[in-house]
Amino acid sequence: SLLGYRRIQIMHKTTLGRKPKKKIYHTVQELDRVMELQKKPAMILQLISVIQSQKSGVVLLRDLEKFVGFVDKWNHMAVIQKYPTVFRVSGGHGCRSPPAVTLTDKAKLIVSMEPDARAEMEPILVKNLRKLLMLSVDCRLPLKTVDSVANEMGLPSDFKNSLVLKYPQYFSLNEVNRTEYLHLENWDSSLAVTSREESAKRPPFPSTGRSRASRDGNFPGPFAFRIEFPSGFRPHLKYLEHLRRWQKMDFPSPYLNPRRLDIPDAKARKRAVAVLHELLSLTVEKRLTSDQVEAFRFELRLPTRLLLCLIKHHGIFYLTNKGVFSSVILKEGYDGSELVHKCPLL
């Protein structure tokens, strides 16, 4: 499991009875802050959904507990009070009607724009769902696994009806061993291009013409990944030289069926990093919880020791226990705490 990784210390074998060295995982405050910033928006969106679920568009404050629970009720009450531009409270304080909450006109306007944003994103969502299935061994995934990342991929809550059944030329549903699977109907080679390859067409790192190790770990080339070391990490030359060789090493495409690959091979291990990179790239906010990543391990043929793989490549991925759940973040998706590319829905 990926849970509890923040306190992990990686032990390295030594000789002559010396005490093993310890490597501490370096934190990145800006990316930890990303998770902290998600808490209030998540409550705001939950409240909006609760209010929208009522025909009257109004929720009595005394009834809030049955929607969000006793403990969270007080947190949501604080959010209602803190954001008067989103929520309007009426009644109470001597009025005949009990206190109730509804959306402000400005909030209603923004909410009304959501259908247009979803319509604009539908072709992108269909493409990304097809790419996700193409990453799997048999171009199929358990429907419950896809459903577990539906929100993170921007898929509507009813994507089974609104997307899957709407596009029978791309998707089908079948039961395998009493489990409902989402199948890809047709392979499209034009989609078998990773976000890393798309970025490589516009090299962000100019070549210096020198072969020595780059201090930041970045190298030009079609098989290189973008590296962002944490501020407290000071790699030595031997490490950088090893990273240079790894960056230049070619490897099979994440969209190539991995059944034919020799897992212990170095190129297959680098391909696994590319699969994780692509999986996170398909999400709206370039991140997933650790449990969500683990759910894809079998179908995407991810490493058994997934946690160590992510820690080893800490210049590409970031692990954080901030927020409600532990998460894996694609570093290049963020500039500080800001998401680089925001879709219309977000």
Side-chain angles (χ1 to χ4, degrees):
S1 173
L2 295 178
L3 296 176
Y5 46 67
R6 300 294 288 174
R7 298 300 176 190
I8 284 183
Q9 294 178 325
I10 308 173
M11 308 297 285
H12 295 266
K13 293 182 179 179
T14 60
T15 56
L16 304 177
R18 287 178 294 177
K19 189 177 181 180
K21 296 180 181 179
K22 296 180 180 179
K23 283 193 175 182
I24 306 301
Y25 191 79
H26 294 269
T27 60
V28 180
Q29 292 184 355
E30 293 87 351
L31 293 179
D32 281 341
R33 188 166 179 266
V34 168
M35 304 310 301
E36 293 289 346
L37 291 173
Q38 298 300 314
K39 294 179 180 179
K40 285 189 174 64
M43 284 193 283
I44 290 173
L45 291 174
Q46 184 182 11
L47 274 169
I48 290 174
S49 296
V50 169
I51 294 171
Q52 283 185 296
S53 68
Q54 305 303 300
K55 290 183 179 180
S56 62
V58 177
V59 173
L60 297 177
L61 293 183
R62 69 189 181 195
D63 294 335
L64 191 59
E65 181 179 330
K66 69 180 182 182
F67 293 107
V68 300
F70 176 76
V71 176
D72 282 342
K73 170 187 175 180
W74 302 108
N75 293 329
H76 285 77
M77 291 281 283
V79 167
I80 291 172
Q81 185 177 13
K82 188 172 182 179
Y83 296 98
T85 56
V86 182
F87 305 105
R88 182 170 62 86
V89 178
S90 59
H93 300 293
C95 298
R96 292 185 177 181
S97 57
V101 60
T102 185
L103 298 179
T104 62
D105 291 340
K106 183 178 180 180
K108 289 177 182 178
L109 177 62
I110 295 174
V111 168
S112 69
M113 295 165 63
E114 183 176 338
D116 291 335
R118 288 200 174 276
E120 183 180 347
M121 280 197 66
E122 185 168 303
I124 300 172
L125 298 180
V126 171
K127 181 188 74 173
N128 287 349
L129 187 55
R130 293 168 68 192
K131 288 169 74 74
L132 179 65
L133 292 171
M134 287 170 63
L135 284 174
S136 63
V137 176
D138 298 311
C139 293
R140 71 181 188 189
L141 288 167
L143 188 62
K144 65 178 182 180
T145 302
V146 179
D147 187 55
S148 72
V149 297
N151 186 60
E152 285 71 18
M153 290 188 66
L155 299 173
S157 57
D158 64 338
F159 76 94
K160 178 179 176 179
N161 295 318
S162 60
L163 285 184
V164 173
L165 299 182
K166 185 178 179 180
Y167 295 93
Q169 69 271 37
Y170 299 139
F171 311 112
S172 65
L173 293 167
N174 296 288
E175 191 172 294
V176 180
N177 297 327
R178 297 183 179 179
T179 299
E180 191 172 21
Y181 276 79
L182 177 61
H183 291 250
L184 181 71
E185 284 296 286
N186 295 292
W187 178 271
D188 188 343
S189 58
S190 68
L191 296 181
V193 181
T194 65
S195 64
R196 183 196 59 81
E197 290 171 312
E198 290 290 345
S199 297
K201 294 177 182 178
R202 307 178 298 276
F205 310 109
S207 175
T208 61
R210 294 174 291 181
S211 59
R212 67 180 179 86
S214 170
R215 290 188 176 184
D216 64 3
N218 288 294
F219 302 88
F223 302 104
F225 289 79
R226 178 165 183 151
I227 301 294
E228 295 179 24
F229 291 139
S231 58
F233 182 66
R234 298 290 182 269
H236 50 72
L237 289 178
K238 186 176 180 181
Y239 177 92
L240 290 172
E241 180 57 31
H242 173 77
L243 181 58
R244 183 188 71 82
R245 293 194 298 268
W246 185 84
Q247 286 275 52
K248 291 183 178 295
M249 180 176 62
D250 64 306
F251 62 94
S253 168
Y255 290 102
L256 178 70
N257 194 314
R259 290 189 187 279
R260 294 170 287 177
L261 301 178
D262 184 11
I263 301 301
D265 182 76
K267 293 183 179 182
R269 293 198 299 270
K270 187 174 181 181
R271 176 192 174 276
V273 174
V275 172
L276 283 165
H277 185 286
E278 187 70 355
L279 175 62
L280 293 170
S281 295
L282 292 175
T283 65
V284 171
E285 297 184 76
K286 312 309 175 195
R287 60 181 173 83
L288 289 171
T289 68
S290 57
D291 284 345
Q292 288 171 325
V293 175
E294 286 275 7
F296 286 95
R297 192 169 61 80
F298 178 75
E299 278 81 9
L300 270 57
R301 292 296 191 267
L302 296 174
T304 303
R305 303 174 73 182
L306 186 53
L307 171 59
L308 291 181
C309 175
L310 291 166
I311 290 177
K312 182 178 180 180
H313 299 284
H314 62 105
I316 303 172
F317 311 109
Y318 183 64
L319 308 171
T320 177
N321 268 342
K322 299 294 182 180
V324 180
F325 302 103
S326 56
S327 300
V328 182
I329 300 175
L330 184 63
K331 281 190 168 184
E332 68 183 60
Y334 286 83
D335 180 9
S337 298
E338 288 291 319
L339 192 65
V340 176
H341 301 293
K342 295 181 181 179
C343 67
L345 182 62
L346 188 60

